[in-house]
Amino acid sequence: MSLRAKETLVKNRWRYIAFVAGFFLFVAPFALLTRAVYFLVGNTAEPTLHSVCFRMPIDWIFGGRFYSIFGSSWFMAAFVFTVIISSIFFGAVFCGWLCPVGAVSEALSRAVPIPKRFRIRIRDTTLTVSMRYGFLVGFIIIAFLVGYKLASDQFGSICCRYCSSSVLQNFASALFEDPSAVGYWHSGSIITLLFWLLIGGLMFSGGRGWCLFFCPLGALSGLAHKIGGRLGFYRVEHNKGICTGCNRCQSLCPMWAIKNDHTVERTLCVNCKECIHACDAYKLVRGKSIEDN
Amino acid sequence: MKKSYILGFVLMVAATLSLGSYSAALGNSELLHFWIAVPAGNITSPIVVRGAGPPISMSPIVVDLQSRGVLKNLLQPQLEGLSTHWIYNIGKKPVKIRLSLTNLPPDITVDWDVNSGFGYDEATHTFTSMLNPGSSIPNLGIDWIFHIPAYYLDEPVIYRGGLEVIDADTNTVLTFIPIEFVNGAVSNDTSGGGSCH
């Protein structure tokens, strides 16, 4: 391990520990958070990562299935709303610190030493944002068309058919419980595996391809963070005065959120603090901006 | 605004819609999801059953293995799955649900992957709690994974049987959903679903 990699590991240790905690909190056979909630409400189902689906409540809302939010899947909906609302105040910290799907692909990207020149990265943050919200709009259109039965023969929901949570849960179940959990694959899960881990994880710089381009919860959390940042809640800011222009921040940011002028694109930023730990020009601030101070 | 931003946005909308369209195509042939209502009798054609609780669309299930995706046919043709998240009691009295797959050839084995808010007896495929009228089994997820020997894959009909939903207390068949796995036949509209919700 290079000296710089070691330094990154040490400086960001709390986030990497949080990755592990996120795995134990949400992924079966542990799923400690979900298990605790199920225990409190007397639900005897065995919780899995699906019990806190990051997509279905969003699909229900845009598909007009509000009743599902208040049905037996209320915990899913409560979880998703909590993630989005908390992003206003603290940034998309669930994405950056706890989400096991993003953590696994990012960890894989960091662990496998592929030369940088073979890794894909879009340097133009506006293009990344355009693509990210293009996906969200497509997701909403499908939820609407399927939910209101306007084109339910032509479109199927992409929630379950392309589910990275399902693929991750199957791997975890195979590892800790029953190897046959990874026995069955359908075309959607194969496509998901390819894009989430192989392309989005290994080939995309930072390993967050899935988070950037295929996660509606991440996209909505990014919007919430943008609003929160404007209102003065926690956000990462760049201090031009002490920037040396080395561009290390850009290459370190797993979410490609550092613009070419080194300011932060908040719809992408997950407050992971990698840039803060790498460079003094970045600070997590609340209230007045660095320039105002 | 730069053209590339608009292009990136439009491309991603189009890619997502394409994935949705592909999802619809796969929904009837790979891990088909379907709804179950009891009592609904023998389901011989597409039907919407009404009673206590919501109306439930049901139909005989026909899975055409030729309609599966390229990746599936290429990488794992011998495994096929069915799935449900919904068993509703639309009747007037509580029932204890037992499930049974009928007419399975001895060389086609099926894995039952069941998770639910009710207790479940793996040996008899029976839920141990009573399902009340108007209710569904909470947090239900059942996947049936069929292991199909290679020599069946060229047969016109690979499996012709069905799912019996039985009142475990009286052994009465409450609902029977015919299931066929075929090769290249013209599929009926089988799913009444196709997604997880």
Side-chain angles (χ1 to χ4, degrees):
Chain A
M1 191 186 288
S2 73
L3 199 62
R4 190 161 264 194
K6 267 185 193 166
E7 186 191 325
T8 302
L9 199 63
V10 171
K11 284 187 171 174
N12 294 287
R13 63 188 178 282
W14 289 114
R15 190 163 87 95
Y16 304 145
I17 290 169
F19 280 178
V20 177
F23 187 88
F24 282 98
L25 285 174
F26 299 111
V27 182
F30 314 103
L32 299 175
L33 179 71
T34 324
R35 200 174 289 280
V37 173
Y38 276 18
F39 176 76
L40 288 174
V41 300
N43 187 336
T44 57
E46 187 60 28
T48 69
L49 185 51
H50 299 106
S51 311
V52 286
C53 180
F54 306 149
R55 296 168 157 210
M56 278 166 56
I58 301 168
D59 193 77
W60 294 336
I61 289 169
F62 290 105
R65 280 168 290 191
F66 300 101
Y67 54 86
S68 296
I69 296 170
F70 304 105
S72 61
S73 303
W74 65 270
F75 178 55
M76 264 186 210
F79 177 80
V80 164
F81 292 136
T82 303
V83 167
I84 294 171
I85 292 166
S86 68
S87 299
I88 296 173
F89 304 104
F90 306 108
V93 286
F94 172 76
C95 304
W97 292 68
L98 286 172
C99 174
V101 174
V104 167
S105 61
E106 186 182 332
L108 185 73
S109 167
R110 289 178 185 277
V112 179
I114 294 176
K116 272 186 185 173
R117 65 179 178 279
F118 295 124
R119 287 206 154 135
I120 302 160
R121 172 184 283 268
I122 298 173
R123 298 246 169 230
D124 185 336
T125 52
T126 312
L127 179 59
T128 308
V129 171
S130 306
M131 293 174 68
R132 181 177 222 201
Y133 290 96
F135 164 76
L136 183 64
V137 168
F139 182 92
I140 290 169
I141 290 172
I142 290 176
F144 182 81
L145 292 176
V146 173
Y148 286 99
K149 301 199 184 304
L150 298 172
S152 47
D153 289 337
Q154 288 77 24
F155 291 106
S157 167
I158 60 173
C159 272
C160 307
R161 187 57 62 179
Y162 311 101
C163 178
S164 51
S165 296
S166 175
V167 175
L168 171 58
Q169 182 58 71
N170 287 348
F171 275 126
S173 298
L175 189 64
F176 293 106
E177 293 175 309
D178 176 10
S180 72
V182 285
Y184 177 78
W185 293 85
H186 55 80
S187 296
S189 58
I190 298 168
I191 291 169
T192 304
L193 178 69
L194 290 176
F195 193 80
W196 168 51
L197 280 188
L198 190 69
I199 301 171
L202 276 181
M203 300 313 298
F204 275 36
S205 175
R208 290 271 182 167
W210 186 268
C211 313
L212 280 167
F213 300 118
F214 287 100
C215 181
L217 180 57
L220 288 172
S221 299
L223 282 178
H225 180 40
K226 181 110 177 170
I227 295 166
R230 290 206 173 155
L231 294 173
F233 293 110
Y234 280 106
R235 66 213 182 266
V236 176
E237 280 203 359
H238 176 247
N239 186 348
K240 276 184 209 164
I242 52 173
C243 177
T244 60
C246 70
N247 283 338
R248 188 165 173 234
C249 51
Q250 274 194 327
S251 60
L252 275 176
C253 178
M255 290 297 288
W256 308 353
I258 310 284
K259 297 178 190 174
N260 287 332
D261 65 359
H262 300 125
T263 57
V264 178
E265 172 51 58
R266 295 215 176 86
T267 50
L268 301 176
C269 177
V270 291
N271 276 0
C272 68
K273 294 167 80 175
E274 294 270 342
C275 54
I276 293 171
H277 292 142
C279 174
D280 292 338
Y282 290 95
K283 273 201 167 59
L284 186 67
V285 296
R286 186 170 62 97
K288 284 182 181 175
S289 71
I290 291 175
E291 283 179 3
D292 291 342
N293 285 324
Chain B
M1 189 181 278
K2 267 193 191 177
K3 274 184 188 170
S4 60
Y5 303 153
I6 297 168
L7 190 66
F9 179 85
V10 172
L11 273 178
M12 281 303 283
V13 173
T16 310
L17 294 179
S18 304
L19 284 172
S21 178
Y22 193 45
S23 167
L26 298 175
N28 282 333
S29 56
E30 292 185 32
L31 198 63
L32 184 149
H33 284 63
F34 61 100
W35 295 62
I36 301 171
V38 292
N42 190 358
I43 307 298
T44 54
S45 59
I47 187 174
V48 178
V49 291
R50 296 172 196 277
I56 308 284
S57 297
M58 299 172 74
S59 61
I61 292 167
V62 181
V63 175
D64 179 1
L65 300 191
Q66 295 284 317
S67 300
R68 299 190 295 185
V70 175
L71 289 168
K72 177 70 183 167
N73 277 332
L74 201 64
L75 299 175
Q76 204 182 49
Q78 289 175 242
L79 290 187
E80 194 40 76
L82 297 173
S83 180
T84 188
H85 296 284
W86 316 274
I87 299 180
Y88 277 86
N89 182 356
I90 60 167
K92 292 181 178 164
K93 60 175 190 176
V95 287
K96 190 186 277 187
I97 299 290
R98 189 168 83 225
L99 300 170
S100 173
L101 284 168
T102 63
N103 205 29
L104 269 176
D107 41 1
I108 292 182
T109 56
V110 180
D111 297 332
W112 292 59
D113 182 9
V114 180
N115 188 17
S116 94
F118 281 1
Y120 173 74
D121 180 356
E122 285 181 19
T124 59
H125 306 307
T126 305
F127 293 95
T128 53
S129 304
M130 299 299 273
L131 181 59
N132 290 317
S135 305
S136 64
I137 297 178
N139 299 101
L140 179 68
I142 307 178
D143 289 344
W144 292 273
I145 306 300
F146 292 73
H147 297 253
I148 304 166
Y151 50 82
Y152 268 111
L153 291 175
D154 293 329
E155 295 291 319
V157 177
I158 292 146
Y159 167 56
R160 179 175 284 153
L163 177 70
E164 285 181 339
V165 189
I166 300 161
D167 181 339
D169 290 330
T170 62
N171 277 333
T172 312
V173 177
L174 301 168
T175 298
F176 178 72
I177 304 173
I179 299 172
E180 281 189 14
F181 285 2
V182 298
N183 238 329
V186 178
S187 293
N188 297 320
D189 178 18
T190 55
S191 67
S195 69
C196 275
H197 44 86

